[in-house]
Amino acid sequence: GSATKTSVFAKTQSAMGNDKLDDMAFAEVFSGHPLVRVGKYVLIPYVLYLSYYYFQLQHPEVVSLVTLGLVRLRPAIYNSASPRQVLIVGTQGSGTVQMASTLKRQLGLEIEHESTDAAWSFARDGSVSWFHGIRFFAPTSQKEKLDSIHALCSAPQSTHENMGFHPAMYGPPRNKCSYRAKWNDCWKSECYMILLQEWACMSNLSCDINFRANLHQVRNPVNNIESLITKFCVGGLEGSVQEPFVKYASALFPTHDFANDSCIDAVSYFVVMYLEAMVKAREKGHIDNFYR
C-alpha cells in the first residue's frame, strides 16, 4: 500500500539526489533517472553501430538517395544472386586465419574467416574457411548425411565453441533466432536447415551462396598435423583427443572410428581424409585449383 509507494519514492529520491521530486514533471523525473542517464551512452553507440552495418552492407542505396548521389557506397551482395569473388577452403591448422588476414590487410579485400554472412560482416569479396569444405563433399546416402548432421546439430554449445562453426556464419537466421543466445533450440533448428542445404551442395550446384573461384589451400601435412596436435591433444601424441574434435571428425568422416584412435592417429586421419575429399572435388571441377 502506501508504505510501498513511500519506499519506492524514497529510493527514487535517493538515486536521483533530488529532494524536490514533488515539484518535478514526469519527463524531468524520467530523463533524470540514473538508468536513463547512463543508458543513452550505451544505447546510442549501439544503434549507430547497427546502423553502420545495416546501411553499409544491406541498404547502401539509401545512403545514395539521402545524399542525392553525393555518396555512393559499394552495392550490397546480401540477398543477391551475384557470385562472390573467392572461397578458400583448407583443413584446420592449414593457415586459414593468416590467409584471411593477409587478403584483408594487403589487398584490401572484404574477406571473412569462417563466415559468409554479408549482412552483418564484410564478406562481400569472399571467405576463407575450413568448415565450408563440406559443400565439396561427395554425396552419400541420405541416412549417413542425416546422421552426420544430427550429430553436429544435437551437440551442446561447448562442442562448437572452438570448432569454427555456428549457423550464424551463413547469414541472418531464417528462424529469427536471437544473437544474444549462443546456442538454443532455435539455433539447433537453424543448424539443421543450414547443413541440409550446404552439405555436398556443389555436387548438384544447389549452394545458396556461390563464388567465382573456389580454391583449396594446403600446407605441409606434417606441419598441419603438428598444429592440430597442439590444439586438440590431451596427454601428448599417444594421449586422447578433445571431445569436440572427435565429434566433428566423426560426423564429417563417419567411415573412420576416431573415438578409438590415439591423438596423432586421429588428427592424421582427419587431415588425410579432408585432403582426399578436396582432391576429389577438384577432379570433378568443383574446386578450381590448389596452392600451398
Side-chain angles (χ1 to χ4, degrees), residues 273-288:
M273 296 180 84
Y274 190 99
L275 289 172
E276 288 177 344
M278 298 305 108
V279 169
K280 290 178 181 178
R282 192 168 74 247
E283 291 172 347
K284 294 178 180 178
H286 299 154
I287 292 180
D288 300 297

Side-chain angles (χ1 to χ4, degrees), residues 18 71 131 182 219 255 275:
N18 192 327
V71 177
F131 192 79
K182 291 183 178 181
R219 182 185 182 189
T255 57
L275 289 172

Side-chain angles (χ1 to χ4, degrees), residues 117-133:
D117 178 12
W120 296 106
S121 64
F122 286 91
R124 288 184 288 190
D125 287 320
S127 307
V128 184
S129 169
W130 86 268
F131 192 79
H132 280 76

Side-chain angles (χ1 to χ4, degrees), residues 229 233-234 236-241 245-246 256-269:
I229 288 173
C233 286
V234 179
L237 300 180
E238 298 300 323
S240 60
V241 196
F245 180 87
V246 174
H256 183 77
D257 184 8
F258 290 93
N260 290 317
D261 279 342
S262 65
C263 185
I264 188 170
D265 286 342
V267 298
S268 297
Y269 272 108

Side-chain angles (χ1 to χ4, degrees), residues 61-287:
E61 73 281 357
V62 174
V63 177
S64 178
L65 182 65
V66 170
T67 62
L68 301 179
L70 295 177
V71 177
R72 293 185 177 274
L73 300 178
R74 178 176 175 175
I77 201 167
Y78 168 64
N79 267 346
S80 166
S82 300
R84 303 176 195 183
Q85 296 304 312
V86 63
L87 172 65
I88 299 173
V89 295
T91 182
Q92 283 186 306
S94 65
T96 54
V97 174
Q98 181 180 353
M99 178 53 63
S101 177
T102 299
L103 292 174
K104 284 192 285 189
R105 185 179 64 255
Q106 296 188 7
L107 298 182
L109 297 178
E110 291 186 9
I111 297 283
E112 285 291 335
H113 181 252
E114 299 298 352
S115 176
T116 50
D117 178 12
W120 296 106
S121 64
F122 286 91
R124 288 184 288 190
D125 287 320
S127 307
V128 184
S129 169
W130 86 268
F131 192 79
H132 280 76
I134 66 170
R135 63 170 43 205
F136 300 112
F137 282 4
T140 59
S141 69
Q142 187 71 359
K143 180 181 184 306
E144 185 175 296
K145 175 180 175 179
L146 292 176
D147 286 346
S148 293
I149 291 173
H150 176 71
L152 293 179
C153 295
S154 63
Q157 176 189 330
S158 57
T159 300
H160 306 289
E161 287 179 345
N162 295 316
M163 295 304 298
F165 167 71
H166 190 280
M169 64 196 269
Y170 285 93
R174 304 171 194 179
N175 289 329
K176 309 299 182 184
C177 305
S178 171
Y179 285 101
R180 292 191 297 273
K182 291 183 178 181
W183 195 260
N184 55 19
D185 288 341
C186 184
W187 283 117
K188 287 181 182 180
S189 174
E190 194 74 17
C191 176
Y192 282 103
M193 294 171 61
I194 290 293
L195 295 190
L196 283 169
Q197 169 64 38
E198 188 73 8
W199 202 284
C201 63
M202 283 298 291
S203 63
N204 57 7
L205 303 180
S206 63
C207 301
D208 274 348
I209 301 171
N210 295 295
F211 301 85
R212 297 184 188 279
N214 296 287
L215 302 176
H216 178 206
Q217 175 173 302
V218 299
R219 182 185 182 189
N220 184 312
V222 174
N223 295 333
N224 201 155
I225 290 169
E226 286 178 346
S227 178
L228 293 181
I229 288 173
T230 301
K231 184 175 183 179
F232 294 115
C233 286
V234 179
L237 300 180
E238 298 300 323
S240 60
V241 196
Q242 292 182 19
E243 182 60 29
F245 180 87
V246 174
K247 175 71 73 173
Y248 268 76
S250 299
L252 269 58
F253 306 110
T255 57
H256 183 77
D257 184 8
F258 290 93
N260 290 317
D261 279 342
S262 65
C263 185
I264 188 170
D265 286 342
V267 298
S268 297
Y269 272 108
F270 176 79
V271 169
V272 169
M273 296 180 84
Y274 190 99
L275 289 172
E276 288 177 344
M278 298 305 108
V279 169
K280 290 178 181 178
R282 192 168 74 247
E283 291 172 347
K284 294 178 180 178
H286 299 154
I287 292 180

